[in-house]
Amino acid sequence: EIVGAYTWAIGILWIFNGLLLYFSDRIAAKRKALTAEDSEKNKNIFNALKVGCCQLLAIFPGISRSGMTITGGLLCGFDREYAVKFSFILSVPAILGANILSIGDFTAIEGSQIVPYICGMVAAMLSGLLAIKLLSYISKKKNFRIFSVYCILIGIVAVILGAVR
């Protein structure tokens, strides 16, 4: 019973995430006429703090950290490319912090497990780099609607699965 409730709630949050990304991208598309000088004016400490606060929403399951920081950047007047770069910059302290907090877990690794762990780390690094390249390409050439549609569709599936349970 409780699993269904969580699945339903996560689905709602995925839909929320997708809608926010969709509408922020539409707002950014309407602002395309901004000059580089206008865009530079939006890159200030107050907007950086606003984007950082958007990152806080990612503590909820179903809310994407990068999706929220990109959304925050777009709503603060950053162009798509800069919003993606800023999102990745903001990920560094979050990733480092998570790794520092889990350092104690690494002491429990047995010698026979080292190779699988290294393979997993390399696979994670390569897929992360590929994701960064893909997102950078999309931010330059396309829009983020495909990600918003994906989140909304997955959210609908999760809501249905949560309701069925």
Side-chain angles (χ1 to χ4, degrees):
E1 182 70 33
I2 205 149
V3 171
Y6 283 129
T7 304
W8 183 84
I10 291 169
I12 294 294
L13 289 169
W14 262 329
I15 293 168
F16 174 75
N17 189 73
L19 290 172
L20 274 179
L21 190 56
Y22 176 80
F23 288 114
S24 66
D25 193 55
R26 296 248 345 224
I27 290 168
K30 289 180 182 176
R31 272 199 235 123
K32 258 198 165 169
L34 286 176
T35 65
E37 190 176 290
D38 293 330
S39 188
E40 276 302 312
K41 289 178 189 173
N42 294 324
K43 298 171 186 173
N44 58 55
I45 193 155
F46 298 109
N47 282 338
L49 288 170
K50 290 176 192 174
V51 175
C53 288
C54 289
Q55 183 171 245
L56 284 173
L57 291 173
I59 64 169
F60 297 106
I63 299 293
S64 162
R65 188 213 59 80
S66 60
M68 285 301 101
T69 54
I70 291 170
T71 294
L74 293 174
L75 292 175
C76 287
F78 300 165
D79 57 77
R80 283 188 189 112
E81 197 173 339
Y82 184 76
V84 169
K85 285 179 186 175
F86 195 71
S87 174
F88 284 117
I89 291 168
L90 282 178
S91 74
V92 172
I95 292 168
L96 284 176
N99 283 310
I100 289 169
L101 289 174
S102 64
I103 242 170
D105 298 341
F106 294 117
T107 60
I109 298 173
E110 296 175 17
S112 64
Q113 297 174 330
I114 290 175
V115 172
Y117 271 90
I118 290 173
C119 289
M121 288 170 39
V122 169
M125 182 187 74
L126 293 175
S127 62
L129 290 172
L130 181 64
I132 290 169
K133 283 285 192 195
L134 178 63
L135 194 53
S136 294
Y137 171 78
I138 289 171
S139 70
K140 290 176 189 172
K141 306 287 184 194
K142 309 254 183 214
N143 56 47
F144 294 122
R145 289 191 191 116
I146 190 159
F147 294 115
S148 61
V149 169
Y150 165 78
C151 288
I152 291 167
L153 290 176
I154 294 297
I156 290 169
V157 169
V159 167
I160 291 169
L161 290 175
V164 170
R165 280 198 121 149

